[in-house]
């Protein structure tokens, strides 16, 4: 397998990933080129105390909730920055495909959590994500930038020129910390990985070395500063740094040099994480390495194992700027074919790989996946032997499509789709092309997976969210009866996320990913008894690019499990045969929050 590019290549791929822009669209179209405008939106304005919010009618319901989030963030951040500003514009798109049509060039983008903040106009532009928690996170992150820009250009600030001299980890890391806080299992996973490898960066390395992703490491560093010196120190360092530079700001506000702060921070991370890693597995002990690269930043993502367990489809990076779809031998990892690529197929613009995984037909002859074309997501079906895309489905009124799941009888594909900024479950009839909507609410509805008899869909939802108070529930797993569209939630762990459900071949068990102790591991639950078994006990975790990316798959005939492990600042795919994927019984009453999820 060829070596992968390091340095700026890894950074740019991760940057585009956080933008939730599919890689080819990002790199092929954002460097100095205009986006294609496919639709005309009927923009309206919703006024709040501090924002003029631009939206179009079909997204009005979720925009009203986003307006409440925005004002709540304004109150929090104005206290944190000790600063107020005049009314600012915010532009909300219903979904990411609509957002991709904006006439915005890469040079205008200053951020990457799903939207961007236009520095010249000081306005937020973002799509809804399908999850209220993620909407809230992106809004908070972007409004940190609005405060940063407004503060830097106000009296006593260093201006945009002064802000532009600050390192990216400072700007983006601050936005991540102030919008997410210090309890963040995903960023903690990055820090554990670096601590295990003995490659925790100094502040100088964060500033100059593109191997260290500024969002994750910057968030962790600011969490340490806030924990040691208080939250006020975070914004005060920024305020002074725009005028005098970061090093001078550290010495004036904190009384330390960057070298001393680096040493203290690294010591704190080691002291926090290394003790809790004792007895936990390194990736090679959790499964058989299938698609594995020793170089930093490997990207082997969203494994989808074939029904017979012989092959695995995955999204991988073999060139510096593209993520393509491949098929590999599920035992040896030998890449059999590059199934498709936007560079190879001129009939679509980009693959969707960040929040989506593909799905095999029951006979293993075809593969369904999601593409971006003509301003919307489409479901594409490719013939494995010929590598030709045989069919494409555009779903009316559904702008964004996420994880697809092919039914056991081969007649239908279930998927998570977004309409009006809200995510729901749908079923596509392949013969007629008709679509049936299964859920209709404001909760996130993600990661559908069929039971072997085709009567039930397992899925992920934040149905515990209090919509009145906007208090967000954790992601849980539900079972939905396809005929009646009635669902029930499984009682699994009392805290943490539960994602990526997959049925066992006999339908008695459900595999899933969860992080009740701050580590994302593979679990199995016996549906009849509700007994949970833990299968992996990783020092890092099972993960895709984001905390909600699908990262695990189960073969429908023999139960072979494939999963993507975070290691060496990247993702590699491991496998377990069914006999090794039984796990040990779990006491779900044990303490659920560990230091592994807390940033020191």
């Amino acid at each position: 397998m060829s070596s992968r590019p390091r340095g700026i290549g890894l950074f740019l791929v991760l940057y585009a990933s956080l933008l939730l822009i599919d890689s080819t669209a990002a790199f092929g179209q954002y460097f100095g080129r205009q986006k294609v405008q496919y639709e005309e939106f009927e923009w309206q304005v919703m006024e709040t105390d501090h924002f003029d919010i631009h939206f179009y009618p079909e997204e009005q319901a979720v925009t009203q909730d986003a307006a409440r989030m925005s004002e709540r963030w304004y109150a929090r951040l104005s206290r944190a920055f000790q600063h107020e500003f005049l009314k600012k514009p915010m532009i909300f798109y219903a979904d990411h495909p609509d957002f991709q049509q904006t006439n915005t060039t890469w040079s205008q983008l200053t951020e990457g959590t799903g939207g961007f903040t236009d520095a010249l106009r000081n306005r937020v532009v973002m799509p809804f994500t399908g999850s209220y928690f993620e909407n809230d996170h992106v809004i908070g992150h972007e409004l940190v930038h609005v405060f940063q820009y407004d503060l830097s250009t106000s009296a006593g600030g260093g201006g945009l020129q002064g802000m532009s001299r600050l390192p990216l980890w400072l700007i983006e890391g601050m936005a991540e910390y102030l919008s997410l806080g210090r309890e963040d299992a995903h960023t903690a996973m990055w820090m554990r990985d670096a601590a295990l490898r003995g490659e925790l960066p100094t502040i100088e390395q964060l500033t100059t070395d593109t191997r260290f992703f500024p969002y994750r490491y910057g968030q962790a560093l600011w969490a340490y500063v806030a924990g040691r010196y208080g939250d006020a120190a975070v914004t005060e360092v920024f305020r002074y740094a725009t005028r005098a530079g970061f090093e001078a700001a550290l010495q004036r506000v904190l009384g330390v040099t960057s070298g001393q702060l680096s040493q203290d921070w690294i010591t704190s991370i080691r002291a926090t994480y290394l003790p809790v890693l004792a007895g936990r597995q390194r990736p090679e002990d959790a499964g058989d390495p299938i698609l594995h690269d020793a170089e930093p930043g490997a990207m082997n993502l969203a494994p989808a194992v074939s029904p017979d367990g012989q092959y695995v489809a995955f999204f991988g990076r073999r060139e510096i700027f593209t993520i393509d779809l491949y098929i590999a031998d599920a035992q040896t990892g030998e890449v059999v074919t590059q199934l498709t690529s936007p560079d190879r197929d001129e009939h679509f613009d980009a693959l969707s790989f960040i929040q989506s995984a593909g799905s095999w037909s029951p006979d293993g002859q075809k593969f369904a996946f999601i593409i971006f074309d003509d301003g919307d997501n489409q479901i594409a079906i490719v013939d494995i032997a010929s590598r030709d895309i045989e069919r494409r489905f555009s779903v009316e009124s559904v702008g964004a499509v996420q994880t697809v799941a092919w039914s056991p009888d081969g007649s239908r594909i279930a998927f998570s789709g977004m309409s009006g900024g809200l995510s729901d479950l749908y079923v596509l009839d392949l013969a007629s092309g008709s679509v049936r909507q299964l859920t209709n609410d404001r909760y996130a509805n993600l990661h559908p997976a069929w039971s072997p008899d085709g009567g039930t869909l397992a899925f992920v939802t934040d149905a515990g969210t209090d919509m009145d108070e906007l208090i967000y529930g954790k992601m849980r797993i539900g079972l939905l009866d396809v005929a009646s569209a009635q669902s029930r939630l499984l009682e699994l762990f009392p805290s943490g996320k539960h994602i990526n459900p997959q049925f066992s071949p006999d339908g008695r068990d459900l595999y899933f990913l969860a992080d009740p102790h701050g580590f994302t591991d593979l679990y199995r639950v016996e549906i009849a008894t509700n007994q949970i078994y833990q299968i992996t006990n990783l020092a890092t975790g099972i993960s895709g690019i984001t905390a909600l990316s699908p990262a695990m798959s189960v073969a429908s005939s023999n139960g072979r499990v494939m999963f993507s492990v975070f290691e060496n600042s990247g993702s590699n795919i491991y496998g377990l045969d069914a006999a090794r994927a039984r796990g040990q019984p779990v006491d779900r009453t044990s303490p659920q929050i560990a230091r592994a999820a807390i940033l020191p």
Side-chain angles (χ1 to χ4, degrees), residues 339-378:
L339 196 57
T340 193
S341 165
D343 288 340
R344 173 177 170 265
D345 194 321
E346 63 184 13
H347 300 296
F348 63 89
D349 295 334
L351 294 167
S352 179
F353 65 91
I354 296 170
Q355 300 290 1
S356 301
S359 182
W360 295 77
S361 61
D363 61 8
Q365 300 302 305
K366 303 182 190 304
F367 191 77
F369 60 104
I370 301 166
I371 62 175
F372 175 76
D373 196 29
D374 291 335
D376 284 311
N377 283 149
Q378 298 178 1

Side-chain angles (χ1 to χ4, degrees), residues 158 209 532 536 562:
D209 192 334
I532 299 175
T536 65
M562 309 289 287

